[in-house]
Amino acid sequence: MVAFCSFFIYPKEVFPKLNKLHQQLLDSPVIAAVKDDVGLRGALASECQVIFLLYGSIVNIEELVQQIHRAGKTCFVHIDLMDGFSNREAAVDGLVRICHPDGVISTRMPQVRRAQQLGLVGILRAFLLDSMSVATLLQQLESSRPDYVEVLPGILPTVIREITAKTTIPLIAGGLIRGKQDVIQALQAGVTAVSSSSPKVWSL
């Protein structure tokens, strides 16, 4: 399961959330990534248990998260993509006070770490553009311990195997996951789950 770092003290409330997420992804390893209201309606009607919210603003984020929770699903907010929030750690505090998501996604480790400190699950999103970006990610993971890492694009099984061989932090493959074969290849490469904005993938 999730590896915990000796120098990071988790709030006790994060453990049930981690355990719940871990079980949800075992049962249903496809995560619905939604970019608009149409996608959200489709995700809410799907069998996906976890939703990545990739749109919204300080004005409507509370209602969006409430919709997901009312449907009995787990909600992760990609704070970098929310209008009206800064890139400072305090933005995570504001997000939590406004809408109480289950977790936060960010490309910035300080944001992820702050989410963890507040008792949320923290997911670091990383773009694998070249061999240098892979090396940078692995170096970052030596000193930082997000709960999960979402790697994009998720259709790089060879690179995913390289990363999973060097870290115990669970991976999520996201980006360009468009069909059953993409899902199978990513899972076989060692990821815990895949995220996709394609409704066709949600129904697999």
Side-chain angles (χ1 to χ4, degrees):
M1 196 185 155
V2 179
F4 299 108
C5 184
S6 60
F7 59 79
F8 185 83
I9 305 301
Y10 276 75
K12 62 181 180 180
E13 60 266 28
V14 78
F15 290 105
K17 292 181 180 180
L18 281 169
N19 291 333
K20 177 185 176 183
L21 177 62
H22 180 68
Q23 188 58 54
Q24 286 177 319
L25 295 180
L26 282 177
D27 296 339
S28 179
V30 175
I31 298 166
V34 299
K35 300 178 179 179
D36 52 37
D37 289 340
V38 174
L40 179 56
R41 286 194 292 272
L44 293 176
S46 76
E47 295 185 4
C48 295
Q49 297 183 32
V50 180
I51 295 178
F52 282 1
L53 197 57
L54 308 183
Y55 79 104
S57 71
I58 197 170
V59 174
N60 68 356
I61 187 62
E62 182 178 16
E63 172 56 27
L64 295 176
V65 172
Q66 285 179 352
Q67 287 185 51
I68 295 170
H69 284 163
R70 284 197 296 266
K73 299 179 187 290
T74 296
C75 177
F76 284 80
V77 174
H78 193 322
I79 194 169
D80 301 356
L81 302 179
M82 297 296 120
D83 290 338
F85 290 92
S86 74
N87 59 7
R88 296 180 181 275
E89 294 177 48
V92 180
D93 294 69
L95 179 72
V96 172
R97 290 185 182 183
I98 291 170
C99 64
H100 305 289
D102 299 287
V104 167
I105 307 165
S106 179
T107 58
R108 304 180 181 94
M109 192 58 215
Q111 307 278 66
V112 174
R113 186 179 299 112
R114 184 56 184 156
Q116 292 173 304
Q117 291 169 345
L118 294 173
L120 277 64
V121 177
I123 299 178
L124 177 67
R125 178 180 257 204
F127 294 91
L128 306 179
L129 304 177
D130 50 30
S131 57
M132 183 176 293
S133 62
V134 174
T136 299
L137 173 62
L138 289 170
Q139 185 177 23
Q140 184 178 23
L141 295 181
E142 289 181 2
S143 57
S144 302
R145 302 296 299 189
D147 297 308
Y148 287 78
V149 179
E150 183 187 22
V151 293
L152 295 90
I155 53 170
L156 302 172
T158 301
V159 177
I160 289 172
R161 288 191 188 93
E162 177 185 346
I163 297 172
T164 56
K166 296 179 180 178
T167 181
T168 57
I169 299 173
L171 296 192
I172 298 169
L176 299 180
I177 302 290
R178 294 178 289 195
K180 183 176 181 179
Q181 193 59 33
D182 295 331
V183 174
I184 292 172
Q185 288 182 348
L187 293 173
Q188 289 178 339
V191 302
T192 298
V194 300
S195 67
S196 175
S197 59
S198 171
K200 180 176 66 174
V201 176
W202 302 345
S203 62
L204 293 177

